[in-house]
Amino acid sequence: MVSILLVMCGRFTLHHSTEDVAERFAVEQTLLELKPRYNIAPSQPVAAVIQGESRVLQELKWGLVPSWARDPGIGNRLINARAETLADKPAFRTAFTRSRCLIPASGYFEWQRSGRLRTPMLLHRAGGEPFAIAGLYERWQTPEEGILRSCTIITTAPNEVAGGVHDRMPAILTAGGAEIWIDRELTDVD
């Protein structure tokens, strides 16, 4: 089982440098140069660490488009995937066994409700280090013969801190959990 520091995710930040992210996640090849971003939203490009022949930092569109989809618009509804149902849901089942990734983040936002008022709360590591959110990715063949690379963020029950703000949080991986999560040799859903 993957070690997860428990954290719904609709917006997040990544303000660490390409070098910091590459070092933290043992990236061997970078295909993008990170610029500080403080309000990353669904449907936008996000940085992701993918383990292939080498470990690569590349850009994916946030909103998973399964390989079997007829329309890329499905990605607008698949920005998050509940950890509890990854192995069961057709949209995530295949990616769960073969296409797991890390989504580097500096923090994430949840909106705390108080009556009709919603206040954005930024949650981040106490020391400010970047962390890895568990993700899934897919490659979708476009009608123009191109490839759309997309991803979703895994969510789980909140930990004690996040639970005071929201009833879900992104699945934040420990260093050891991140290594297990992107290990391509592990395909058993248990």
Side-chain angles (χ1 to χ4, degrees), residues 53-187:
E53 296 299 318
S54 63
R55 191 168 296 184
V56 179
L57 178 65
Q58 69 180 66
E59 191 173 86
L60 302 174
K61 181 181 179 197
W62 185 8
L64 191 80
V65 180
S67 60
W68 46 261
R70 293 186 182 183
D71 180 348
I74 193 172
N76 296 329
R77 296 184 311 273
L78 300 176
I79 63 166
N80 291 177
R82 295 171 79 75
E84 302 86 352
T85 60
L86 291 178
D88 303 323
K89 299 286 183 181
F92 308 121
R93 190 174 30 227
T94 301
F96 181 44
T97 59
R98 65 172 173 78
S99 301
R100 297 177 303 271
C101 64
L102 307 177
I103 310 289
S106 302
Y108 73 95
F109 291 97
E110 289 300 349
W111 282 257
Q112 187 171 41
R113 292 179 185 259
S114 178
R116 298 180 77 176
L117 182 66
R118 290 176 22 137
T119 305
M121 307 293 285
L122 175 64
L123 293 97
H124 57 87
R125 292 184 67 167
E129 307 88 6
F131 54 87
I133 298 172
L136 302 176
Y137 71 96
E138 282 274 11
R139 295 167 39 110
W140 184 74
Q141 184 72 45
T142 69
E144 298 81 29
E145 301 304 316
I147 300 290
L148 172 64
R149 291 172 174 83
S150 63
C151 65
T152 190
I153 288 177
I154 310 303
T155 66
T156 190
N159 63 15
E160 199 172 281
V161 173
V165 179
H166 200 276
D167 63 348
R168 299 291 293 172
M169 68 182 261
I172 298 177
L173 300 166
T174 63
E179 291 302 313
I180 293 168
W181 183 253
I182 62 172
D183 185 338
R184 293 177 61 193
E185 301 297 315
L186 299 176
T187 58

